[in-house]
Amino acid sequence: MPQTHVTIIHKETISSAWWQLTIAAPDLASSLRPGQFLLLRCADPLTCYLRRPIFPMPLGDGTLSLHLRPDPDPGLAWLLTRQVGDTLDVLGPLGNGFPLPHGKRNLLLVSDNQRLDPLLGLLYQAIADNLSVTLALGGSRAVNLYPLATLPRAVEFQAATLDGSLGHRGLVSDLLPNLLAWADIVYASGSDALYHSLKSQTEQIRFAVPPDFLYGLFAPPLLPCGVGTCLACGLETREGTKLICQDGPVFDLYCVRA
């Protein structure tokens, strides 16, 4: 498993609750695909935290971007305190990412959590290929959502917040009926509840969940080994138990058992 040290070259606040770290990593940036992950040592060498999976976004210039919010996890909280010039110890890239949208025109990206970098990587790639992209985000309130102002103007953005502070009042799954009828392919990063809703609503709208239409990122807080040795990240699929760290973390939702 490749191990390397990368350097933080830029850190900025992009909204009241979001930070962006830019990391110089030319070798990783050229090989990392959206949905693949790195295992990051989130502490000094004397602290026995397990490595945390992170999902940076390649920027196309030999750098990686990582978007962060305050997190109760002590490892990720440590990462948010890093400054320009600090080095990070990472393993990877690991896993299998999102498949490229060959022959597709309308991409729907959906999330109800903070793990957005894999979707943002897909978003910028699709915009560069002149594809139509809609990003639908859900959260408890507007401040928890990724900041709209940072997105390319070519992206259609739809939001759902539980308190109604931005967009639709309710869950992001409430927005799905029209979006699923429009989309040629769907990429999601979110909760099990979101994935269940995507599958059930697709079945209602399209009468079946076609293969190669729904893809979801399964990213537990810990992927302890990253190479399938510990067997701690099993996921039940129609083809038997798969390991998130090796066979995923991206899976065709049609193949995942509810």
Side-chain angles (χ1 to χ4, degrees):
M1 183 189 306
Q3 179 179 8
T4 188
H5 289 81
V6 297
T7 303
I8 298 172
I9 59 173
H10 186 68
K11 181 179 182 180
E12 66 175 320
T13 302
I14 56 176
S15 77
S16 60
W18 285 87
W19 284 261
Q20 178 176 334
L21 297 182
T22 303
I23 301 164
D27 292 338
L28 290 176
S30 64
S31 59
L32 187 76
R33 283 179 31 220
Q36 288 187 300
F37 65 97
L38 306 175
L39 284 180
L40 170 68
R41 185 178 184 89
C42 287
D44 61 76
L46 300 179
T47 304
C48 297
Y49 291 154
L50 291 172
R51 289 178 179 266
R52 301 301 198 266
I54 60 171
F55 293 80
M57 179 180 73
L59 295 179
D61 59 355
T63 63
L64 300 172
S65 172
L66 188 60
H67 300 87
L68 302 170
R69 293 190 69 243
D71 197 296
D73 177 274
L76 296 180
W78 174 89
L79 177 59
L80 190 55
T81 66
R82 300 303 90 193
Q83 301 298 325
V84 172
D86 289 345
T87 59
L88 303 175
D89 181 334
V90 297
L91 302 175
L94 300 168
N96 293 298
F98 287 102
L100 299 179
H102 294 302
K104 310 294 185 181
R105 292 297 308 168
N106 300 327
L107 276 63
L108 172 60
L109 312 179
V110 188
S111 180
D112 64 354
N113 66 16
Q114 299 176 22
R115 191 150 273 166
L116 286 179
D117 285 297
L119 297 185
L120 294 176
L122 286 167
L123 182 153
Y124 281 96
Q125 181 175 343
I127 293 299
D129 292 338
N130 294 316
L131 304 181
S132 297
V133 182
T134 294
L135 176 64
L137 299 182
S140 58
R141 53 199 181 114
V143 70
N144 293 333
L145 300 184
Y146 186 78
L148 170 62
T150 66
L151 296 174
R153 292 186 178 182
V155 176
E156 179 184 347
F157 178 75
Q158 296 198 25
T161 50
L162 295 181
D163 65 356
S165 54
L166 183 63
H168 169 76
R169 180 188 292 272
L171 300 172
V172 70
S173 56
D174 299 339
L175 305 176
L176 292 178
N178 290 334
L179 296 177
L180 289 173
W182 166 83
D184 293 328
I185 191 168
V186 181
Y187 300 111
S189 175
S191 64
D192 289 343
L194 175 61
Y195 293 163
H196 177 77
S197 185
L198 279 166
K199 292 170 68 175
S200 62
Q201 292 199 46
T202 299
E203 290 172 350
Q204 295 171 13
I205 293 167
R206 295 176 175 255
F207 307 108
V209 181
D212 303 320
F213 178 72
L214 289 177
Y215 288 94
L217 178 79
F218 290 79
L222 293 177
L223 291 170
C225 73
V227 294
T229 301
C230 68
L231 304 179
C233 61
L235 182 70
E236 292 302 315
T237 75
R238 297 176 185 270
E239 300 174 349
T241 302
K242 300 290 186 179
L243 297 177
I244 291 174
C245 70
Q246 280 198 313
D247 303 306
V250 173
F251 291 90
D252 186 329
L253 292 181
Y254 177 79
C255 297
V256 176
R257 292 193 180 278

